[in-house]
Amino acid sequence: MTNEAILLVGRKAPHAREVYETHANRLGRRASVGDVHVATYGNEPVRELRETFAEIEGDRVYAVPMTTAHTFDTTDGVPAALSYVPGEVRYCEPVGRSPAVTDVLVQRASEVLRADDDASLVLVGFGSSSKPYQRQTTEYHAARLSDQSDYGEVLTCYLLQNPTVECVRYNTSNSRTVAVPLFLTRSEATTEEIPAKLELERGGIEYADPLGDHARVTDAIHAEVEKQRVLATSEDDPASFETRLARNRRPVATDGEGIRR
């Protein structure tokens, strides 16, 4: 019988590990694996995670990046660090694009502003000038919410791309607006940057919490692990984007830091 484990990997931020641990505890009760590990890093995934990863026991390890969409870290540094895991690694897709996350966004919005035709819902994504993943995820949920929610309009904006967060007040058609950050945990971006750019003190815009430790996010993580479990035992296992990342990314041998044991 294959000994399996789950590894949740995310960036360090205030209260982030608490969120990761909550999801890990739920997964430990429902995912039928030996262990669920949580690992966090600051700026250098390989340097900070390699020793921790080398000690993870399991014939197969499902590694889940704890972010709503791929970033430079999750496409480069994290998969390189995963090469230190002794067992087989199944690198999972970030769970931000799960339909379960759409449910969380609706709930977060409705907690601060009731949905009706005279209210606008704005999704605030991080964005990237070089990678499409954050924008793709944000627009995916915006399209679903436009069809499924009772808000009069659903818009998107970004910290690093157009349309920018600063333009929200000029882009909405309604006098009442709720902005929901499409971020997994609280961070400097969600607690300082976004509120400042929205000019919340002027009124007219309510601001919701990020996804956080909502149980439906745990559902999304569990579903991704189960998908990878099926693929791992399938004779026809397609080489997904994440699979190629885990296979091809390796530490760079610079100043001895990338040399594997």
Side-chain angles (χ1 to χ4, degrees):
M1 182 176 178
T2 302
N3 179 24
E4 297 180 316
I6 295 174
L7 171 61
L8 306 183
V9 188
R11 261 189 173 275
K12 293 178 181 177
H15 311 297
R17 189 173 187 95
E18 180 180 343
V19 170
Y20 304 154
E21 294 283 3
T22 298
H23 293 302
N25 290 336
R26 292 194 190 117
L27 290 166
R29 295 192 294 268
R30 68 168 81 165
S32 301
V33 296
D35 292 294
V36 182
H37 305 272
V38 171
T40 59
Y41 63 93
N43 297 307
E44 300 182 65
V46 174
R47 183 192 297 267
E48 297 174 51
L49 297 175
R50 59 185 180 179
E51 293 183 5
T52 298
F53 285 1
E55 296 176 355
I56 293 177
E57 297 181 358
D59 301 320
R60 181 180 298 136
V61 178
Y62 301 98
V64 184
M66 296 299 285
T67 181
T68 55
H70 275 304
T71 64
F72 178 79
D73 286 346
T74 66
T75 60
D76 191 85
V78 170
L82 288 171
S83 66
Y84 288 93
V85 175
E88 174 195 0
V89 174
R90 301 294 303 191
Y91 192 36
C92 299
E93 181 181 353
V95 297
R97 199 163 179 172
S98 167
V101 170
T102 309
D103 298 340
V104 183
L105 294 170
V106 171
Q107 182 169 333
R108 292 296 189 229
S110 62
E111 287 170 354
V112 294
L113 183 65
R114 182 173 58 86
D116 60 43
D117 292 340
D118 297 324
S120 300
L121 169 59
V122 178
L123 299 183
V124 185
F126 186 74
S128 170
S129 59
S130 61
K131 295 184 182 296
Y133 313 117
Q134 299 281 338
R135 192 182 196 103
Q136 289 172 349
T137 298
T138 307
E139 292 180 348
Y140 164 78
H141 290 296
R144 298 191 82 234
L145 290 166
S146 293
D147 293 335
Q148 300 176 13
S149 76
D150 294 325
Y151 287 95
E153 64 179 357
V154 180
L155 305 175
T156 61
C157 66
Y158 305 90
L159 275 178
L160 301 181
Q161 288 179 284
N162 290 322
T164 61
V165 181
E166 295 94 324
C167 296
V168 166
R169 289 185 176 275
Y170 311 102
N171 292 339
T172 55
S173 302
N174 298 305
S175 60
R176 298 184 303 120
T177 299
V178 55
V180 185
L182 186 48
F183 289 69
L184 184 58
T185 66
R186 295 180 186 275
S187 64
E188 183 178 347
T190 66
T191 59
E192 297 181 23
E193 293 183 56
I194 295 174
K197 291 178 183 295
L198 289 173
E199 299 180 292
L200 295 179
E201 71 279 359
R202 292 176 56 185
I205 299 179
E206 302 296 333
Y207 187 54
D209 289 332
L211 303 175
D213 60 5
H214 197 287
R216 290 291 281 149
V217 176
T218 311
D219 293 341
I221 299 170
H222 189 197
E224 176 62 20
V225 169
E226 289 301 314
K227 181 184 79 174
Q228 291 297 327
R229 177 176 279 156
V230 171
L231 292 174
T233 57
S234 171
E235 294 182 0
D236 182 22
D237 181 4
S240 67
F241 177 62
E242 287 74 25
T243 298
R244 295 195 299 272
L245 287 175
R247 288 175 180 172
N248 300 329
R249 293 292 190 272
R250 291 294 183 269
V252 177
T254 302
D255 298 328
E257 293 298 336
I259 299 176
R260 296 194 62 192
R261 295 181 302 163

